[in-house]
Amino acid sequence: MFAPDRLTLGIFLPLRSFKGDMSVLQGQADLVTEMDGQGFAAVWVRDVPLFDPSFGDAGQVFDPFAYLSYLAARTTKLALATGSAIVSLRHPIDVAKAAATIDQLSGGRLVMGVASGDRPLEFPAYGLAHAARADRFAQAISYLRQLLQSGHLDISSPLGRFEGAELLPQPVSARIPLMVTGSSGQSLAWIAENADGWLTYPNATHTPRGPQHLAEKIRAWRALIPGGAFRPHMTNEWIDLVDDPAYPRTPLHGGHVLRTGRKGLIALLEEWQAAGVNHAALGIQFSQRPPAEVLEELAREVLPHFPSHEGVPAACVTW
């Protein structure tokens, strides 16, 4: 999924937007199984505990950890990524237990994007203060890191404490990568010190200075990483891929969706790769064409320019 100076592609779920009818999600897992053999690097699921109609987006509907377990049983290669788990709402023990379970069941394929949450309605629903989410996020990450260590643990945190117990199961490898989303209320230095990677939004990369701004942001973050170690940067885009390959890149809905042909998409991904992005997660739920048709074109025409790293001699991340 990650290597220096290289970009891979993943897909954000859902493949079609939920509009009140669960039938719109039928067949989605079958398409994810097909993606597993097409060369995509990852499949991403969002964490939206409650649908707030005023927010206007139900996310991917299913519980992220339950659904990733289901997808783990239907795939063998895809990285299984949360984009992102709202750890400010969930207790670290429950997050760590679910994450380590999926990691074991999938053979070590879990990549966990984490975030502080952006939907004010959810926090009082959990009995939590929305204004305290940044502090709770930092506390939850620290607790998670400790829980995912092997052996008997003594943990004292504002979120809980215990002595002489152990979390089971343990992850397949040394640790589950935690990818901080946006700022999550933290400083750039904190993210450089504590994150295994950074997931940020494009921030108007469709403007003339957009790619340059993105590159500057990535360089500033990497300059703060202890020891200069490689850690991946990720970004995402919701696209409406039209069947005209030369259709120009056209921002829609205030820039939240990009309508484009594949040539424009390839050019955008090349700009991101040059800026230092290592993985691009594409959402196709707003596409006018059927999801299977869009995925087939991406696999046939776009993925060869940005292959995943199976069998490719490239440096990789050591967590």
Side-chain angles (χ1 to χ4, degrees):
M1 187 174 176
F2 306 120
D5 305 317
R6 299 284 297 277
L7 182 143
T8 63
L9 290 182
I11 297 294
F12 252 112
L13 301 182
L15 298 177
R16 290 186 292 170
S17 295
F18 174 78
K19 299 185 183 299
D21 184 354
M22 287 295 292
S23 66
V24 76
L25 301 177
Q26 290 179 359
Q28 178 172 266
D30 295 330
L31 291 175
V32 172
T33 300
E34 291 183 20
M35 284 169 50
D36 194 48
Q38 290 175 323
F40 290 95
V43 62
W44 292 78
V45 300
R46 299 170 65 194
D47 182 9
V48 181
L50 292 173
F51 172 45
D52 179 0
S54 67
F55 207 92
D57 178 13
Q60 56 93 28
V61 179
F62 297 119
D63 174 84
F65 296 111
Y67 196 44
L68 284 183
S69 293
Y70 178 67
L71 295 180
R74 301 196 52 156
T75 57
T76 60
K77 299 177 183 178
L78 285 168
L80 307 169
T82 61
S84 294
I86 311 303
V87 298
S88 302
L89 294 176
R90 303 170 179 269
H91 194 277
I93 293 176
D94 299 326
V95 173
K97 186 85 172 181
T101 297
I102 294 170
D103 198 58
Q104 278 287 341
L105 292 174
S106 68
R109 289 187 283 138
L110 181 65
V111 173
M112 198 156 71
V114 290
S116 61
D118 60 0
R119 303 188 182 213
L121 176 146
E122 294 172 342
F123 287 82
Y126 277 84
L128 300 171
H130 182 254
R133 66 192 185 281
D135 288 342
R136 188 174 175 88
F137 175 84
Q139 294 162 358
I141 294 301
S142 176
Y143 203 150
L144 275 170
R145 289 290 195 208
Q146 294 176 77
L147 282 167
L148 293 171
Q149 296 175 12
S150 61
H152 293 175
L153 305 171
D154 297 335
I155 295 179
S156 179
S157 163
L159 303 181
R161 57 186 54 84
F162 63 83
E163 296 180 0
E166 183 177 3
L167 179 82
L168 295 175
Q170 283 290 299
V172 170
S173 59
R175 62 200 275 168
I176 292 172
L178 301 182
M179 310 301 194
V180 171
T181 303
S183 70
S184 292
Q186 313 305 313
S187 68
L188 195 63
W190 187 97
I191 297 170
E193 178 73 28
N194 292 279
D196 293 313
W198 194 22
L199 172 61
T200 70
Y201 305 110
N203 289 336
T205 53
H206 317 307
T207 65
R209 195 180 178 279
Q212 181 181 345
H213 175 75
L214 180 61
E216 291 170 355
K217 182 165 64 173
I218 295 171
R219 283 197 299 269
W221 166 63
R222 287 193 165 132
L224 297 173
I225 295 173
F230 167 67
R231 293 182 189 168
H233 178 276
M234 297 138 279
T235 194
N236 69 288
E237 183 69 270
W238 273 261
I239 63 169
D240 177 8
L241 187 69
V242 302
D243 54 9
D244 176 3
Y247 190 96
R249 283 152 49 179
T250 306
L252 305 175
H253 307 298
H256 296 294
V257 178
L258 179 68
R259 178 171 291 163
T260 183
R262 65 172 178 263
K263 291 183 178 179
L265 177 60
I266 291 169
L268 175 65
L269 295 172
E270 288 173 341
E271 292 169 8
W272 283 356
Q273 182 171 256
V277 177
N278 304 109
H279 181 80
L282 302 178
I284 66 170
Q285 67 191 73
F286 300 109
S287 292
Q288 299 178 59
R289 297 161 65 194
E293 187 177 310
V294 174
L295 291 171
E296 193 279 331
E297 181 174 351
L298 289 172
R300 184 185 70 251
E301 303 290 349
V302 181
L303 275 179
H305 297 270
F306 310 98
S308 57
H309 303 305
E310 182 180 5
V312 176
C316 62
V317 180
T318 300
W319 305 114

